[in-house]
Amino acid sequence: MRIKKFQNPFLLTVTLWLLFLTATNAQGKWTLGLELTRRSELRQYEDSYKYLFTRGGGGPVFPAGLNVAYQYSEKWRFESGFISTPYSQTVGVFYNEPGYRRVFNRPILYTNNLLTFEVPLRLVYNPNFSWKGIQFNLIGGLNSYILDGSINSIGQGGLPAIPVLPTPPTNLSVVYQNRPLSRINFSLEAGPEAMVPLGKRFVFLYRFSVRLGFIDMVEMEGNYITGQNLSLNPENTYPFRVVSNGSALHHTFSLRYRLGKKKVKDNWWEYED
């Protein structure tokens, strides 16, 4: 029988590292947790004709993954983990001409996302401020992203169109291309967090953070076309470009488990058979 080789050495390394931390729990200072985030990207738009809907970035996406934290002291905590972080690959368009207005102040649907592997490195400071059992902290960190797979793709008319009034609107079509600009990226992160203990072992955490990306990672470039007969005789062709560089607003929710303290013998004969 042939044994299949592990396809992702990076994922294997992270998994082994987390298992090592679990086994060496360092007398109750380690916690392991699950994280879910609502991510709103702050993308760069080049659109002189203002057909693109830019409010709210590329629509919400939801990173999820594992977190490991080490409580160095009462004031300081170190964190890392492994997160699957999607980047938006679509935009909303609407017919933005005099006499027309949007029916909705939001896009109808965002469908395509690009997966990246994220490794955060955070430092958390406890300013010794709490309210009704909720502890408030300040966080700062550096996040690394690794692009997963290829995103070179070309499409036409596949972007969500926002209805406008009066109806029916003038025909509107979009031709676009997605492509990677960099396989790696980094972002700085800062913000506050709130922690609530749930018994002796579990902790619930909410964090709001702002991220500032360093490198342009994903590009979407194309044209939107208007007219009565788009396939044979389009009346207008307007270019646009959207770039993602890792900048985003993050609302993170995390449930964490505090690992138990090691038992210490008071006398040498204890715990012996």
Side-chain angles (χ1 to χ4, degrees):
M1 183 179 69
R2 185 180 178 184
I3 299 176
K4 189 176 180 181
K5 227 175 158 183
F6 198 92
Q7 297 297 322
N8 195 323
F10 176 76
L11 180 57
L12 176 62
T13 301
V14 173
T15 303
L16 293 175
W17 179 55
L18 292 177
L19 290 174
F20 171 77
L21 294 180
T22 304
T24 58
N25 55 46
Q27 300 196 15
K29 293 186 176 183
W30 292 99
T31 60
L32 295 177
L34 300 175
E35 289 195 355
L36 178 66
T37 300
R38 187 184 189 278
R39 172 183 172 90
S40 298
E41 293 184 48
L42 304 177
R43 302 192 288 180
Q44 304 170 13
Y45 294 87
E46 298 177 10
D47 174 28
S48 59
Y49 291 90
K50 307 301 181 185
Y51 270 47
L52 296 183
F53 183 85
T54 60
R55 188 179 305 171
V61 291
F62 300 94
L66 300 175
N67 173 278
V68 59
Y70 176 72
Q71 192 70 41
Y72 176 75
S73 67
E74 185 178 349
K75 290 287 188 182
W76 297 100
R77 184 173 82 243
F78 300 100
E79 290 192 5
S80 187
F82 181 76
I83 313 294
S84 175
T85 301
Y87 276 49
S88 295
Q89 282 187 264
T90 52
V91 294
V93 295
F94 65 99
Y95 188 63
N96 187 21
E97 293 294 330
Y100 291 83
R101 60 185 177 87
R102 291 192 306 269
V103 176
F104 304 109
N105 285 323
R106 56 179 175 80
I108 301 301
L109 181 65
Y110 287 110
T111 56
N112 295 326
N113 296 311
L114 168 68
L115 182 63
T116 65
F117 297 130
E118 174 190 340
V119 178
L121 295 174
R122 299 190 188 99
L123 182 63
V124 184
Y125 174 71
N126 176 11
N128 198 25
F129 176 73
S130 61
W131 177 76
K132 293 187 177 182
I134 304 174
Q135 178 184 322
F136 296 92
N137 301 320
L138 300 174
I139 71 106
L142 174 69
N143 303 284
S144 304
Y145 307 90
I146 302 175
L147 189 63
D148 179 35
S150 175
I151 63 163
N152 287 295
S153 61
I154 298 176
Q156 181 172 359
L159 303 183
I162 302 173
V164 296
L165 294 174
T167 56
T170 298
N171 291 337
L172 174 63
S173 180
V174 181
V175 179
Y176 65 94
Q177 179 179 8
N178 285 310
R179 56 175 169 261
L181 300 177
S182 175
R183 289 289 173 182
I184 62 171
N185 194 12
F186 305 93
S187 70
L188 289 176
E189 181 180 18
E193 72 172 23
M195 295 179 60
V196 181
L198 304 177
K200 294 182 179 180
R201 294 288 189 182
F202 289 95
V203 177
F204 177 77
L205 180 147
Y206 165 74
R207 171 185 297 142
F208 172 75
S209 61
V210 179
R211 298 193 176 189
L212 180 62
F214 291 167
I215 303 172
D216 290 344
M217 192 173 189
V218 180
E219 177 189 61
M220 182 183 193
E221 191 174 30
N223 300 286
Y224 37 79
I225 304 167
T226 64
Q228 296 300 325
N229 191 335
L230 298 180
S231 60
L232 297 179
N233 188 26
E235 295 177 8
N236 300 292
T237 301
Y238 301 137
F240 69 89
R241 183 172 181 260
V242 184
V243 178
S244 300
N245 65 357
S247 296
L249 302 178
H250 274 215
H251 296 271
T252 300
F253 304 89
S254 180
L255 181 63
R256 301 182 177 183
Y257 178 77
R258 184 179 292 113
L259 299 176
K261 292 185 178 181
K262 294 172 67 176
K263 292 182 179 181
V264 179
K265 297 181 182 181
D266 294 328
N267 300 288
W268 67 268
W269 61 82
E270 291 181 348
Y271 316 123
E272 298 287 345
D273 291 333

